[in-house]
Amino acid sequence: MGLAEETVGGVSRLWGKSAARNGGRTHLLLGHLLDTAAVAEVMWEQYMSAALRHRLEEVSGGRGRLWFMWICGIHDCGKACPAFQALDDEEAAPVRAAGLVWERLPMDRRQRWRHDVAGAALLRPRLVSEWGSSESAAWVWPLVAGHHGTFPSVQGLKPKHREVQGRGAAWEKVQRAVVDVFTRAVGFVDLADARPVGALNRAEQLGLSGLIVMADWIASDSEQFEGIADAREISLASARQRAQAAWQRLGLRGGWKELAVPEGRLTPLAGRLGVTPRASQQELVERAWSMPAPGLMVAEAPMGEGKTKAALAAAEVLAARFGLDGVFVAMPTQATSDPMYEQVLEWVRTFDPALGAQVALLHGKRRFNPRWREIWESNGTGSVGEFGSGDEWAAVDPFDVYGAIEEDAEYGMSAWTSVATCGPQQGCDGPARWFLGNKRGLLTAFAVGTVDHLLHAATRTRHVMLRFAGLVGKVVVVDEVHAADVYMRQFLLEALRWLGQAKVPVVLLSATLPPAQRQACVDAYLSGALSMADAVCPVPEPAGYPCVTVAWALNGAPAAESSREVVPSWRASTPTRIDWLPDIALDGELLASTVREEVADGGVALVVVNQVDRAQAIHRALMEAGFEGQVQLLHGRLCAAHRAERTEACLRLLGPEAGEERPGRMVVIATQLAEQSFDVDADLLITDLAPVDLLLQRLGRLHRHDGTRRPSAFGEPRVLVTGVVAGEGGRPRFLPASKSIYGEWALLRAAALVAEAAGPLGGGTRQKGGWSIPADVPGLVARAYGETEVCPPGWGEAAAREVWRAKEQQREKNAEGFLLTRPREWGAPTLEGLHYAGVQAASEEQLDAVVRDGKRSVEAVIVRRSEAGYRAIDGTWIGVHGEVDDETVIGRLLDGTVRLPPRLTEAAEAQETGLVPLPGWIGHPWLRYAPALVLEEDGTAVLGKDRVSYDDVVGLVVQRG
């Protein structure tokens, strides 16, 4: 290459990984660049979706694999600067000896010159000059500048002190040489030869940036890539061998690769899923076949219609047609994620049994899912951390950053020690534990988890590109999309904009979606697809219910269609009787006596209330009256183990496969946990009043399954609506908790619509005999959220609406500060300045708080103090100081995790008296972050002015001080 000897000597001394941070062996910078490029090559062949490979082929002029290797490897070229080379005195000595010197560097951490920014600063002027295109350079340099998690503005590429970037001819020559040597080693003639012929759009750039980070993190694992301190031993050939071996050892893989197009249009439904296709399911799958481009699908159908199976079948069609490699299914809660995980697991195995081990469950309580533990925690074959390979929490520090180095200390992030490696996995079909690491879950080919993971990918947070990379190349399915409140909806709409721009097909599912929300989702997706701020494409009114709406953009033109013909529901609409049960007492006496009378001769009653205290009181009153029959209490203040056990019991006894196991007499008392994706069948529903869409969701548990044997008294579906009484002038009075949760306006309108079917609260004539379900569902939801007043005069509906509207607007505004993109920036062509206002969350807990604006609550692990030390919630001894050294004991301990009511948060976090981990937990990578709720020998603990206790039946009990 005609390089001077002193330049060669300098390049040969630059270090990329210090011995102190790399298993005791220095790794030269060129070695790390080539390792990363070689990992990228393996990812290209074995991980990336066909769709993304196709786009990279387009923008690189048919050299996609080579260009992907180059951009992944070049990411760390900025380490060739004094600011980085001076970080380790021992490593810096040979660099100085080679003639690369520097004066005193600034010590102020705020002025620290990061190597990711340094790389963009040295690369950008060369790209502009040698590519002859400022446009090409403009979208490439942020990929280098952002690989440590944030994208700076172009103004951020100018150091305040020249010394940090390198001053003088020697540094300039070495920096040029690092880029040139690496570029030629990868396979380009020179830097000019690497010029792309086109550009990815901004969302595609974000996905690509995440894959660069993934390649870097894998190549940074010192256990997989041993340091090479002699430049003569570095080559692309050896890097390729190292990368292939590491990929095999880590057990990494993609998903379908190139999925074959199904032979028949309904094969994904009838063949793979084994269902007799219903009309609504056929409609969704047929629409997936007919869309001319990746787009948005909105499926609206009654509860129990089989929307999720239809969505999976549609996902197969979309993936096969558009070159996608996997699926992410987003659920509203942890509780709803678990049964969906089971369903997706079985579905994925029909493609290839080995793919079952590639289905990830993404939520904080996954360790309590037995199938998860069976697949993901029993396959560890090597030594993982101090506490054994079977426990993921022992293996993965939740605040780690894989491959972190010294400069990350300013973010409070630790260096990585490869404890998430599960040892040799060659020839093993088990899961790759690498994906268990922080921020990496969505990178698995198939994932089921809470919708928060989708929302996180739309926040202006560090390493957002890694989350987004886990969505690009997949089909995204969002179930119960109506469950997102106005605050969360801002992040959902932002995610839809980015997914639309990235050409990611999205399937939204709902039984009760207001028309305005449907339109907002379509407009958001098309805004992304068209790269404009405010795309508006009116959605035609569907011909009926169920219905499917589809939207896409092709050649710059948007399109939106809805079902043009009536799609019959799988079962005829059923008249459902609605009656009032006026009651807002917290003692539970009236509801307990009512349910006891209703099922005296047998039957299954589901009682859904809006407040944990009320649920506990009803249960207490029912049991004190000597109820004979099965009773299950399900709410959010149960510890993790009890909640999982009871959810499973309800699904087993009242689910679609219950059969002879269905009890003759049973009462399930639940909070909003039973509102959605809770596949149980009740004979009678008693429910607190809630907004109409949520009320209808609760009705979806009533007479849900065909063939269920019922007592003759329950031949007609019947609902008793409570949690409300008639006030002055007949105006409803609500439970205070209901008003706090839902607001008065939505409850007033719900009461008015219920009154049409049940008669006035104070007694009077019904306007009609009840609701016809599901035929009345879309009309009720549209009226509940429409502009026309529905309440009687004197209820003060207009004033309540204004209060509601003001709060909604404020919540929308509150979300704006955390959204990934500033308003009206959808025309921006590059990632430059994406993190214009810094990052808004450093930990997963903080990130959850970003996308949910409700009152914060704290999770704690319940332990019981005994005379000699501590015991887990089930009585298991955990030592004098809470010491744990056995995986089984850790599991039993974490079984006692419980979420405290929000009103106790301040007391739980108080600096002097709040909850903290036990002394014996400090050295444990997971428990050291877990506050302990220590119940004294009398079974209680004091938090602020309140006294709390835990009862194995009713859960956490709070006695107000």
Side-chain angles (χ1 to χ4, degrees), residues 579-657:
D579 291 308
W580 291 112
L581 179 59
D583 175 55
I584 57 173
L586 293 180
D587 60 14
E589 295 288 348
L590 178 61
L591 269 63
S593 62
T594 300
V595 76
R596 196 169 64 249
E597 293 170 11
E598 291 286 348
V599 298
D601 296 324
V604 174
L606 172 63
V607 182
V608 183
V609 294
N610 298 338
Q611 189 176 11
V612 174
D613 292 343
R614 186 164 156 88
Q616 291 174 327
I618 296 166
H619 180 274
R620 192 176 298 114
L622 191 64
M623 302 312 292
E624 287 175 354
F627 178 76
E628 295 182 3
Q630 292 200 40
V631 181
Q632 289 284 359
L633 177 62
L634 189 61
H635 57 73
R637 282 191 224 158
L638 294 170
C639 72
H642 293 160
R643 180 167 159 177
E645 289 166 4
R646 293 183 198 181
T647 301
E648 191 278 330
C650 289
L651 294 173
R652 174 171 49 82
L653 296 172
L654 305 176
E657 309 298 327

Side-chain angles (χ1 to χ4, degrees), residues 425-445:
Q425 287 194 196
Q426 196 159 3
C428 171
D429 290 330
R433 292 173 62 82
W434 188 88
F435 290 121
L436 295 181
N438 191 25
K439 307 175 184 176
R440 286 174 255 165
L442 283 174
L443 294 171
T444 41

Side-chain angles (χ1 to χ4, degrees), residues 183-421:
T183 300
R184 184 180 295 191
V186 168
F188 287 111
V189 174
D190 52 26
L191 187 58
D193 190 33
R195 181 178 72 86
V197 299
L200 299 176
N201 65 44
R202 194 164 62 148
E204 292 168 335
Q205 294 167 30
L206 190 65
L208 174 58
S209 176
L211 295 178
I212 293 169
V213 174
M214 179 179 174
D216 180 29
W217 286 8
I218 293 172
S220 295
D221 184 347
S222 61
E223 291 188 8
Q224 306 301 330
F225 292 85
E226 192 176 60
I228 300 176
D230 187 341
R232 292 168 296 186
E233 298 176 9
I234 293 172
S235 69
L236 180 61
S238 65
R240 281 172 163 155
Q241 292 177 351
R242 287 151 60 91
Q244 285 284 358
W247 189 267
Q248 291 296 323
R249 283 194 297 268
L250 291 171
L252 297 169
R253 62 161 293 166
W256 285 310
K257 295 191 176 175
E258 298 195 20
L259 185 62
V261 175
E263 294 180 0
R265 295 180 77 82
L266 294 180
T267 300
L269 266 175
R272 187 171 309 285
L273 289 165
V275 301
T276 301
R278 298 167 178 168
S280 62
Q281 294 174 319
Q282 290 187 46
E283 174 78 355
L284 184 61
V285 174
E286 288 289 353
R287 289 285 181 167
W289 279 107
S290 64
M291 273 201 306
L296 176 72
M297 309 184 75
V298 185
E300 299 171 65
M303 296 71 73
E305 185 79 11
K307 294 186 291 294
T308 52
K309 280 188 168 61
L312 295 179
E316 178 181 350
V317 174
L318 294 168
R321 290 186 61 215
F322 299 120
L324 289 315
D325 195 49
V327 171
F328 172 55
V329 181
M331 302 298 294
T333 63
Q334 294 179 352
T336 56
S337 297
D338 282 346
M340 182 56 65
Y341 170 66
E342 303 269 349
Q343 189 171 335
V344 172
L345 188 62
E346 296 309 313
W347 173 66
V348 167
R349 283 174 169 164
T350 65
F351 295 93
D352 179 355
L355 286 178
Q358 310 305 319
V359 183
L361 177 60
L362 305 181
H363 67 67
K365 299 292 185 302
R366 62 188 176 193
R367 67 168 296 114
F368 301 106
N369 184 291
R371 297 295 295 278
W372 168 269
R373 290 186 65 89
E374 175 190 339
I375 294 171
W376 284 81
E377 296 190 8
S378 64
N379 278 284
T381 57
S383 175
V384 183
E386 183 180 347
F387 296 95
S389 61
D391 181 27
E392 66 169 288
W393 303 120
V396 183
D397 183 326
F399 301 109
D400 79 350
V401 171
Y402 197 92
I405 55 172
E406 288 90 339
E407 66 264 34
D408 288 310
E410 65 186 274
Y411 290 90
M413 295 181 174
S414 60
W416 177 255
T417 56
S418 194
V419 293
T421 302

